[in-house]
PDB file of all heavy atoms in Angstrom:
ATOM      1  N   HIS A 303      15.179  -2.263 -18.583  1.00  0.00           N
ATOM      2  CA  HIS A 303      16.280  -3.204 -18.781  1.00  0.00           C
ATOM      3  C   HIS A 303      15.776  -4.575 -19.202  1.00  0.00           C
ATOM      4  O   HIS A 303      16.359  -5.220 -20.084  1.00  0.00           O
ATOM      5  CB  HIS A 303      17.107  -3.314 -17.501  1.00  0.00           C
ATOM      6  CG  HIS A 303      18.333  -4.172 -17.640  1.00  0.00           C
ATOM      7  ND1 HIS A 303      19.485  -3.719 -18.227  1.00  0.00           N
ATOM      8  CD2 HIS A 303      18.566  -5.464 -17.291  1.00  0.00           C
ATOM      9  CE1 HIS A 303      20.391  -4.685 -18.232  1.00  0.00           C
ATOM     10  NE2 HIS A 303      19.853  -5.760 -17.670  1.00  0.00           N
ATOM     11  N   HIS A 304      14.695  -5.027 -18.577  1.00  0.00           N
ATOM     12  CA  HIS A 304      14.174  -6.360 -18.870  1.00  0.00           C
ATOM     13  C   HIS A 304      13.209  -6.368 -20.053  1.00  0.00           C
ATOM     14  O   HIS A 304      12.951  -7.434 -20.633  1.00  0.00           O
ATOM     15  CB  HIS A 304      13.473  -6.939 -17.641  1.00  0.00           C
ATOM     16  CG  HIS A 304      14.421  -7.395 -16.571  1.00  0.00           C
ATOM     17  ND1 HIS A 304      15.144  -8.556 -16.659  1.00  0.00           N
ATOM     18  CD2 HIS A 304      14.755  -6.839 -15.376  1.00  0.00           C
ATOM     19  CE1 HIS A 304      15.890  -8.704 -15.580  1.00  0.00           C
ATOM     20  NE2 HIS A 304      15.670  -7.678 -14.778  1.00  0.00           N
ATOM     21  N   GLY A 305      12.633  -5.222 -20.362  1.00  0.00           N
ATOM     22  CA  GLY A 305      11.734  -5.156 -21.497  1.00  0.00           C
ATOM     23  C   GLY A 305      10.332  -5.652 -21.234  1.00  0.00           C
ATOM     24  O   GLY A 305       9.566  -5.882 -22.178  1.00  0.00           O
ATOM     25  N   CYS A 306       9.969  -5.826 -19.970  1.00  0.00           N
ATOM     26  CA  CYS A 306       8.606  -6.246 -19.630  1.00  0.00           C
ATOM     27  C   CYS A 306       8.310  -5.825 -18.203  1.00  0.00           C
ATOM     28  O   CYS A 306       9.219  -5.503 -17.428  1.00  0.00           O
ATOM     29  CB  CYS A 306       8.431  -7.759 -19.796  1.00  0.00           C
ATOM     30  SG  CYS A 306       9.470  -8.753 -18.691  1.00  0.00           S
ATOM     31  N   ALA A 307       7.026  -5.812 -17.846  1.00  0.00           N
ATOM     32  CA  ALA A 307       6.619  -5.418 -16.505  1.00  0.00           C
ATOM     33  C   ALA A 307       7.223  -6.358 -15.462  1.00  0.00           C
ATOM     34  O   ALA A 307       7.357  -7.562 -15.696  1.00  0.00           O
ATOM     35  CB  ALA A 307       5.094  -5.417 -16.392  1.00  0.00           C
ATOM     36  N   GLN A 308       7.581  -5.789 -14.293  1.00  0.00           N
ATOM     37  CA  GLN A 308       8.301  -6.539 -13.272  1.00  0.00           C
ATOM     38  C   GLN A 308       7.596  -6.493 -11.924  1.00  0.00           C
ATOM     39  O   GLN A 308       6.880  -5.538 -11.586  1.00  0.00           O
ATOM     40  CB  GLN A 308       9.722  -5.969 -13.105  1.00  0.00           C
ATOM     41  CG  GLN A 308      10.592  -6.094 -14.340  1.00  0.00           C
ATOM     42  CD  GLN A 308      11.063  -7.500 -14.583  1.00  0.00           C
ATOM     43  OE1 GLN A 308      11.754  -8.100 -13.750  1.00  0.00           O
ATOM     44  NE2 GLN A 308      10.694  -8.052 -15.727  1.00  0.00           N
ATOM     45  N   ASP A 309       7.820  -7.544 -11.162  1.00  0.00           N
ATOM     46  CA  ASP A 309       7.385  -7.696  -9.774  1.00  0.00           C
ATOM     47  C   ASP A 309       8.672  -7.665  -8.953  1.00  0.00           C
ATOM     48  O   ASP A 309       9.522  -8.554  -9.092  1.00  0.00           O
ATOM     49  CB  ASP A 309       6.640  -9.028  -9.654  1.00  0.00           C
ATOM     50  CG  ASP A 309       6.367  -9.462  -8.228  1.00  0.00           C
ATOM     51  OD1 ASP A 309       6.728  -8.749  -7.285  1.00  0.00           O
ATOM     52  OD2 ASP A 309       5.802 -10.563  -8.052  1.00  0.00           O
ATOM     53  N   VAL A 310       8.849  -6.638  -8.129  1.00  0.00           N
ATOM     54  CA  VAL A 310      10.144  -6.344  -7.503  1.00  0.00           C
ATOM     55  C   VAL A 310      10.018  -6.369  -5.980  1.00  0.00           C
ATOM     56  O   VAL A 310       9.066  -5.821  -5.422  1.00  0.00           O
ATOM     57  CB  VAL A 310      10.664  -4.955  -7.944  1.00  0.00           C
ATOM     58  CG1 VAL A 310      12.032  -4.665  -7.336  1.00  0.00           C
ATOM     59  CG2 VAL A 310      10.725  -4.856  -9.474  1.00  0.00           C
ATOM     60  N   GLU A 311      10.995  -6.996  -5.315  1.00  0.00           N
ATOM     61  CA  GLU A 311      11.115  -6.910  -3.858  1.00  0.00           C
ATOM     62  C   GLU A 311      12.268  -5.968  -3.534  1.00  0.00           C
ATOM     63  O   GLU A 311      13.328  -6.045  -4.157  1.00  0.00           O
ATOM     64  CB  GLU A 311      11.364  -8.292  -3.244  1.00  0.00           C
ATOM     65  CG  GLU A 311      10.202  -9.252  -3.433  1.00  0.00           C
ATOM     66  CD  GLU A 311      10.483 -10.633  -2.868  1.00  0.00           C
ATOM     67  OE1 GLU A 311      11.380 -10.748  -2.003  1.00  0.00           O
ATOM     68  OE2 GLU A 311       9.833 -11.595  -3.304  1.00  0.00           O
ATOM     69  N   TRP A 312      12.076  -5.109  -2.535  1.00  0.00           N
ATOM     70  CA  TRP A 312      13.080  -4.096  -2.211  1.00  0.00           C
ATOM     71  C   TRP A 312      13.165  -3.916  -0.695  1.00  0.00           C
ATOM     72  O   TRP A 312      12.296  -4.348   0.056  1.00  0.00           O
ATOM     73  CB  TRP A 312      12.713  -2.751  -2.864  1.00  0.00           C
ATOM     74  CG  TRP A 312      11.331  -2.277  -2.506  1.00  0.00           C
ATOM     75  CD1 TRP A 312      10.166  -2.524  -3.172  1.00  0.00           C
ATOM     76  CD2 TRP A 312      10.951  -1.523  -1.331  1.00  0.00           C
ATOM     77  NE1 TRP A 312       9.100  -1.974  -2.510  1.00  0.00           N
ATOM     78  CE2 TRP A 312       9.550  -1.352  -1.395  1.00  0.00           C
ATOM     79  CE3 TRP A 312      11.664  -0.978  -0.270  1.00  0.00           C
ATOM     80  CZ2 TRP A 312       8.843  -0.651  -0.416  1.00  0.00           C
ATOM     81  CZ3 TRP A 312      10.975  -0.280   0.719  1.00  0.00           C
ATOM     82  CH2 TRP A 312       9.575  -0.127   0.637  1.00  0.00           C
ATOM     83  N   ALA A 313      14.230  -3.257  -0.274  1.00  0.00           N
ATOM     84  CA  ALA A 313      14.402  -2.908   1.140  1.00  0.00           C
ATOM     85  C   ALA A 313      15.172  -1.598   1.223  1.00  0.00           C
ATOM     86  O   ALA A 313      15.844  -1.191   0.268  1.00  0.00           O
ATOM     87  CB  ALA A 313      15.139  -4.014   1.897  1.00  0.00           C
ATOM     88  N   ILE A 314      15.064  -0.947   2.368  1.00  0.00           N
ATOM     89  CA  ILE A 314      15.811   0.288   2.624  1.00  0.00           C
ATOM     90  C   ILE A 314      16.618   0.094   3.902  1.00  0.00           C
ATOM     91  O   ILE A 314      16.066  -0.242   4.958  1.00  0.00           O
ATOM     92  CB  ILE A 314      14.870   1.495   2.782  1.00  0.00           C
ATOM     93  CG1 ILE A 314      14.038   1.701   1.508  1.00  0.00           C
ATOM     94  CG2 ILE A 314      15.664   2.756   3.106  1.00  0.00           C
ATOM     95  CD1 ILE A 314      12.987   2.796   1.619  1.00  0.00           C
ATOM     96  N   ASP A 315      17.933   0.272   3.780  1.00  0.00           N
ATOM     97  CA  ASP A 315      18.806   0.212   4.954  1.00  0.00           C
ATOM     98  C   ASP A 315      19.508   1.554   5.116  1.00  0.00           C
ATOM     99  O   ASP A 315      19.100   2.553   4.495  1.00  0.00           O
ATOM    100  CB  ASP A 315      19.795  -0.950   4.846  1.00  0.00           C
ATOM    101  CG  ASP A 315      20.780  -0.800   3.686  1.00  0.00           C
ATOM    102  OD1 ASP A 315      20.814   0.282   3.050  1.00  0.00           O
ATOM    103  OD2 ASP A 315      21.534  -1.753   3.427  1.00  0.00           O
TER     104      ASP A 315
END
Side-chain angles (χ1 to χ4, degrees):
H303 185 79
H304 285 284
C306 63
Q308 297 286 300
D309 168 1
V310 182
E311 295 178 21
W312 55 269
I314 300 175
D315 64 9

